Amino acid sequence: MKKLYVWVMIVAMVILTACSDAYQDAMDKGIESLGAKDYHQSALYFELALKEKADDQEAQVYFDLAKQMQEAMDAVEQYDYEVALPILQEVIENEAALQTVKDEAQKILKQIQEESELVADVERKLAVINDLISQEDYQAAQEELQLLQEQIDTQELLVTYQSEVVALMDDVNSALNKKVEADEPQQSQVQYATYSNERYGFQLQYPSDLTMDPPPTNGDGATFRNEDFTLLAYGSLTNVLEPGETIHTYYDRDLEDIPVEVSYQKLTNDWYVLSYNDNGIITYKKFFFGDSFANTLIITYPESKKDIYNPITAHIAETFVSTAE
């Protein structure tokens, strides 16, 4: 009887040792998989550990953690941030979670926030484009769509907007073609001359029937006009407003000085455009900024004659070429 008891004890110890070894092996491999960000495999290992020790709190915590991270990763791959965000936040706030896993959750959370801001930026730009289309400002809408397309081309996340941008571009191009056809008889009558300013390195085309004001003695530019339409083009030195000025210095000051809401604005690295309507007078300004000098184009005309002067302004602005850099 005593020998049987000893034998039973030995068998029990072997079984317990085997169970303990299997549990520890599963835990070690589960933690290793967590560190490798293989959350699916990690969950499987912790599930094995729980089969060995069903009530083990540590294995349960890690099992839940691995499942949460896998669920969050699956949601991120589908851009389902509404599902991913609360899961990641719960992992970050879990005091029992491994710090490495919490750090990874924080990293993914930051990535989601950045991507969300990017998507929000695209949504804002689409709203501006649709507003421009509703105002029949198709030229400005086309320019904004081209910039947005460049952004989509460099951001894989934004590929979902591709079809919408293509559709809008087709609509805008169609509208521009129809407008050109409608304006063609009228525009064919407009003859253009070229004005060049050697001192400040710019040139443009202007309707040849405009009258040129007496040129300034310093040769910085010229003014052309008729009873409704005024074109002013001139050059000036930069770095005279404040030390270390940039194109933003001029852009921000112009925005502050304009007394009404700006209907269109566009800013690049070396030029900007502002357009607004003040008491029925449309003002269009294009500004080139360089290290030593700047070139400015300002056009004004009545809103009541925009059908006549909008295409003329577009032609002048397109031919306004500057060497400011």
Side-chain angles (χ1 to χ4, degrees):
M1 186 70 178
K2 186 175 181 180
K3 289 182 179 180
L4 179 60
Y5 174 77
V6 172
W7 175 250
V8 170
M9 290 296 294
I10 292 173
V11 170
M13 290 178 63
V14 170
I15 293 173
L16 287 172
T17 301
C19 290
S20 177
D21 289 345
Y23 164 82
Q24 192 59 51
D25 182 61
M27 290 293 290
D28 291 343
K29 290 180 178 178
I31 293 173
E32 183 180 351
S33 296
L34 272 180
K37 303 174 188 176
D38 188 349
Y39 303 116
H40 175 71
Q41 187 60 53
S42 179
L44 293 177
Y45 281 129
F46 292 129
E47 189 174 21
L48 286 176
L50 285 169
K51 287 181 179 179
E52 299 298 328
K53 290 186 179 181
D55 297 326
D56 187 76
Q57 185 175 1
E58 185 178 17
Q60 186 65 56
V61 168
Y62 289 167
F63 174 73
D64 293 340
L65 188 64
K67 285 192 65 178
Q68 285 179 306
M69 288 299 292
Q70 184 60 53
E71 186 178 352
M73 294 298 293
D74 290 342
V76 169
E77 289 181 3
Q78 299 298 320
Y79 302 116
D80 191 351
Y81 298 150
E82 290 185 4
V83 171
L85 284 171
I87 296 174
L88 292 168
Q89 196 61 50
E90 186 176 346
V91 170
I92 293 169
E93 295 172 358
N94 186 349
E95 295 182 358
L98 293 172
Q99 188 59 48
T100 54
V101 179
K102 294 170 72 172
D103 290 344
E104 181 64 19
Q106 186 67 57
K107 178 181 176 182
I108 299 171
L109 185 64
K110 182 179 179 181
Q111 174 190 333
I112 289 175
Q113 291 170 341
E114 291 174 350
E115 291 181 353
S116 296
E117 290 174 2
L118 185 61
V119 168
D121 179 58
V122 171
E123 293 287 353
R124 285 192 294 269
K125 289 177 179 177
L126 284 171
V128 170
I129 290 168
N130 280 297
D131 187 48
L132 290 170
I133 292 173
S134 68
Q135 297 175 28
E136 299 184 2
D137 194 347
Y138 300 117
Q139 187 65 45
Q142 185 185 60
E143 293 175 359
E144 292 300 324
L145 281 166
Q146 288 170 348
L147 291 173
L148 183 54
Q149 181 61 63
E150 292 175 6
Q151 186 177 4
I152 290 173
D153 290 341
T154 59
Q155 298 285 346
E156 184 179 353
L157 169 68
L158 304 179
V159 71
T160 54
Y161 290 97
Q162 182 65 63
S163 59
E164 183 176 358
V165 169
V166 169
L168 287 172
M169 184 66 81
D170 288 343
D171 291 343
V172 166
N173 288 339
S174 177
L176 283 172
N177 290 335
K178 290 179 181 178
K179 188 170 181 61
V180 168
E181 292 173 1
D183 293 340
E184 205 165 38
Q186 179 177 315
Q187 288 304 301
S188 64
Q189 300 173 13
V190 179
Q191 300 296 318
Y192 290 94
T194 299
Y195 170 79
S196 299
N197 186 289
E198 295 183 1
R199 180 184 178 188
Y200 285 106
F202 69 89
Q203 73 172 34
L204 54 80
Q205 292 183 3
Y206 65 94
S208 57
D209 61 353
L210 295 180
T211 301
M212 181 178 179
D213 287 358
T217 56
N218 64 2
D220 67 345
T223 300
F224 303 87
R225 70 177 77 241
N226 62 23
E227 59 183 7
D228 297 316
F229 185 90
T230 301
L231 183 165
L232 169 64
Y234 63 92
S236 58
L237 298 176
T238 55
N239 297 306
V240 294
L241 297 182
E242 60 184 53
E245 66 188 30
T246 67
I247 191 170
H248 294 278
T249 306
Y250 293 83
Y251 182 73
D252 292 341
R253 288 197 179 196
D254 272 350
L255 286 176
E256 290 177 2
D257 291 341
I258 294 173
V260 294
E261 182 178 354
V262 175
S263 56
Y264 176 69
Q265 58 193 82
K266 182 177 180 180
L267 172 66
T268 72
N269 291 331
D270 55 7
W271 61 269
Y272 65 80
V273 168
L274 294 170
S275 181
Y276 57 93
N277 186 330
D278 187 7
N279 291 324
I281 299 298
I282 294 175
T283 298
Y284 174 94
K285 178 174 182 176
K286 189 169 186 178
F287 177 88
F288 285 95
F289 175 82
D291 291 336
S292 57
F293 63 89
N295 298 145
T296 304
L297 168 68
I298 301 176
I299 296 173
T300 59
Y301 53 91
E303 181 187 15
S304 60
K305 296 190 176 181
K306 68 178 182 180
D307 290 342
I308 298 174
Y309 292 121
N310 275 358
I312 293 175
T313 298
H315 180 86
I316 296 171
E318 186 176 351
T319 62
F320 181 43
V321 179
S322 169
T323 60
E325 58 181 26

